[in-house]
Amino acid sequence: MRTKEELPACPVATTVQLIGSKWKLLILRNLLSRPWRFNELKKDLDGISQKVLTDSLRSLEEDGIVTRTVYPEVPPRVEYALSELGNSMRPIISAMEAWGLAYQKGRYED
């Protein structure tokens, strides 16, 4: 997790810094439903590179938003899931989804 000194003073800027990239938001959207494996995420997120997915998952894990579980199997199985902190973002993502749906339906046109 980042220290208080590493975070912006503005709370909105803090949220954007933690989850503001296109790919992080889409990863969180997927993880809201269930834990996902790396290759599942890669296949579902059309256009994401392996490096960007790896970097995004590492960043989300370091910030305490995502957990990474390695199962002692052969071959090893790794799953990513929302942590308790990540689950606290559920209303934010839901609000973004609701707003996006309303916009798609033309509810915000003049």
Side-chain angles (χ1 to χ4, degrees):
M1 294 191 65
R2 297 173 199 233
T3 65
K4 202 170 188 176
E5 294 77 32
E6 293 175 308
L7 297 173
C10 171
V12 173
T14 297
T15 305
V16 169
Q17 185 177 42
L18 292 173
I19 64 164
S21 79
K22 166 189 171 181
W23 295 116
K24 284 183 181 180
L25 284 170
L26 294 177
I27 290 166
L28 292 175
R29 175 207 62 195
N30 284 21
L31 294 178
L32 285 172
S33 62
R34 63 177 174 83
W36 287 65
R37 296 176 72 174
F38 184 90
N39 284 334
E40 289 180 305
L41 286 167
K42 176 116 175 48
K43 287 177 189 170
D44 192 71
L45 300 172
D46 191 38
I48 193 169
S49 70
Q50 185 164 330
K51 180 184 181 343
V52 170
L53 180 55
T54 298
D55 291 348
S56 297
L57 287 168
R58 277 191 188 138
S59 175
L60 289 166
E61 185 182 4
E62 287 169 6
D63 291 329
I65 297 167
V66 166
T67 60
R68 179 179 184 266
T69 305
V70 180
Y71 294 92
E73 301 172 355
V74 178
R77 177 171 51 110
V78 178
E79 286 185 344
Y80 295 90
L82 291 179
S83 66
E84 187 177 334
L85 177 63
N87 265 307
S88 73
M89 294 180 162
R90 192 174 291 274
I92 297 167
I93 307 298
S94 295
M96 292 175 74
E97 178 185 25
W99 188 91
L101 283 170
Y103 185 85
Q104 287 174 338
K105 292 178 180 178
R107 293 190 184 145
Y108 298 116
E109 292 180 3
D110 290 335

